[in-house]
């Protein structure tokens, strides 16, 4: 948790490559992943497990689909996806897009963020969702969202 993000990113990249993942050599994405997730884990193995989710298309269980991908949730994700398609991929703009979707759909943050996490990672918890979107990137975010809509 006190370790330098760059050092953690380098170590995560090394570990992911050992697991067979194609990780960019610059380590920038792994460093960003480390930065937003290091406070959520106790060790490098757990941090590498989280980082792996950014490089693999998730398998979403039927249980999670049934619990979190309701018609209302899908409508909210569709609204958000439309906003994200044209958003500048900066943290403040991503956050504003999420808030605009909340206002437009009348839903609260967990009612959108949890289904979004399910769509992106096949699980209900992650780092702050706007930071996750920023690190995951536009193309991958939109692709993963489209799979559930």
């Amino acid at each position: 948790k006190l370790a330098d993000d760059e050092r953690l990113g380098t170590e995560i990249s090394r570990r992911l490559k050992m697991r067979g993942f194609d990780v960019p050599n610059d380590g920038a994405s792994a460093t960003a992943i480390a930065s937003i997730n290091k406070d959520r884990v106790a060790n490098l193995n757990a941090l590498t497990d989280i980082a792996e989710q950014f490089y693999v298309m998730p398998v979403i269980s039927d249980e999670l689909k049934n619990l979190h991908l309701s018609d209302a949730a899908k409508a909210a994700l569709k609204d958000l996806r439309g906003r994200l398609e044209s958003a500048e991929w900066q943290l403040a703009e991503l956050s504003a897009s999420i808030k605009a979707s909340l206002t437009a759909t009348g839903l609260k943050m967990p009612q959108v963020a949890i289904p979004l996490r399910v769509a992106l990672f096949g699980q209900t918890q992650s780092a702050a969702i706007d930071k996750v979107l920023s690190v995951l990137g536009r193309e991958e975010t939109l692709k993963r969202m489209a799979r559930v809509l």
Side-chain angles (χ1 to χ4, degrees):
K1 294 180 187 198
L2 299 176
D4 176 73
D5 293 344
E6 210 168 297
R7 188 174 70 78
L8 288 173
T10 300
E11 182 59 24
I12 289 169
S13 291
R14 187 186 70 75
R15 289 171 181 238
L16 287 171
K17 287 175 184 176
M18 287 174 54
R19 293 182 184 186
F21 288 93
D22 183 24
V23 181
N25 285 331
D26 63 8
S29 60
T31 298
I33 293 167
S35 176
I36 67 169
N37 288 291
K38 70 181 182 181
D39 293 333
R40 302 180 63 238
V41 298
N43 59 54
L44 272 168
N45 289 328
L47 189 55
T48 304
D49 291 343
I50 287 175
E52 191 173 299
Q53 298 168 359
F54 285 79
Y55 295 96
V56 219
M57 190 63 73
V59 175
I60 305 170
S61 72
D62 289 337
E63 179 183 9
L64 285 178
K65 285 179 190 175
N66 294 334
L67 281 172
H68 300 292
L69 295 176
S70 65
D71 290 341
K74 287 181 182 179
L77 291 180
K78 185 175 181 180
D79 178 85
L80 177 57
R81 189 176 187 281
R83 294 172 193 279
L84 292 175
E85 285 176 337
S86 60
E88 192 170 317
W89 216 254
Q90 302 295 323
L91 194 58
E93 177 110 9
L94 296 172
S95 185
S97 296
I98 294 168
K99 288 175 185 171
S101 279
L102 295 175
T103 301
T105 60
L107 297 175
K108 297 195 181 304
M109 182 62 87
Q111 295 171 299
V112 175
I114 292 173
L116 181 55
R117 287 178 175 108
V118 169
L120 299 178
F121 297 121
Q123 60 185 32
T124 58
Q125 296 184 17
S126 74
I129 198 63
D130 53 351
K131 292 179 180 178
V132 167
L133 295 176
S134 176
V135 173
L136 189 58
R138 178 192 311 273
E139 183 181 326
E140 191 64 22
T141 296
L142 297 177
K143 181 171 46 171
R144 291 182 185 200
M145 289 177 78
R147 287 181 57 229
V148 301
L149 299 176

